[in-house]
Amino acid sequence: RWNLIPKNVNRLFYIIVMSVDQAYTRRGLGKVLLDFGMDRVSKYGARGIFSEATAMMSQGMFKKLGYNVLKEIRHADYKDKQGRRIFNCPDGTDRAQLVFRYI
């Protein structure tokens, strides 16, 4: 997937996992977590930030914060030998996304 990152970005910051408990969503905490330390990240030369957005809520948050979708994997495209979907998310998420934003 590295070939999806813009060629002019030679140093990246990667968010592996970020989560906010459902009881505390829609309060801006996700944005606070994403913004935390960004001044240090850019000081060390990172020019882009990327993450895997695998839940519907995180996909919406990344979009709202200016991230672009580099790659999208639809859950319906992955089935077992009996033709049943492998990925079934209780929150209705139907895809995973690789997202990116310039710093």
Side-chain angles (χ1 to χ4, degrees), residues 32-83:
V32 169
L33 288 170
L34 283 174
D35 287 344
F36 181 78
M38 280 300 126
D39 55 336
R40 286 177 273 166
V41 169
S42 59
K43 184 169 85 173
Y44 289 110
R47 297 294 171 246
I49 180 170
F50 77 108
S51 186
E52 297 167 17
T54 56
M56 195 167 32
M57 290 285 287
S58 62
Q59 292 168 9
M61 181 189 62
F62 281 118
K63 181 178 180 178
K64 182 178 175 182
L65 295 176
Y67 286 73
N68 297 305
V69 176
L70 298 178
K71 177 80 175 179
E72 190 168 80
I73 297 171
R74 294 181 19 182
H75 293 173
D77 293 340
Y78 292 87
K79 298 181 180 175
D80 64 15
K81 291 178 182 179
Q82 287 74 39

Side-chain angles (χ1 to χ4, degrees), residues 2 5-14 40-50 100-103:
W2 295 109
I5 302 298
K7 302 291 183 229
N8 64 331
V9 175
N10 61 358
R11 194 169 283 186
L12 285 167
F13 182 68
Y14 177 46
R40 286 177 273 166
V41 169
S42 59
K43 184 169 85 173
Y44 289 110
R47 297 294 171 246
I49 180 170
F50 77 108
F100 170 84
R101 162 175 89 85
Y102 285 102
I103 295 176

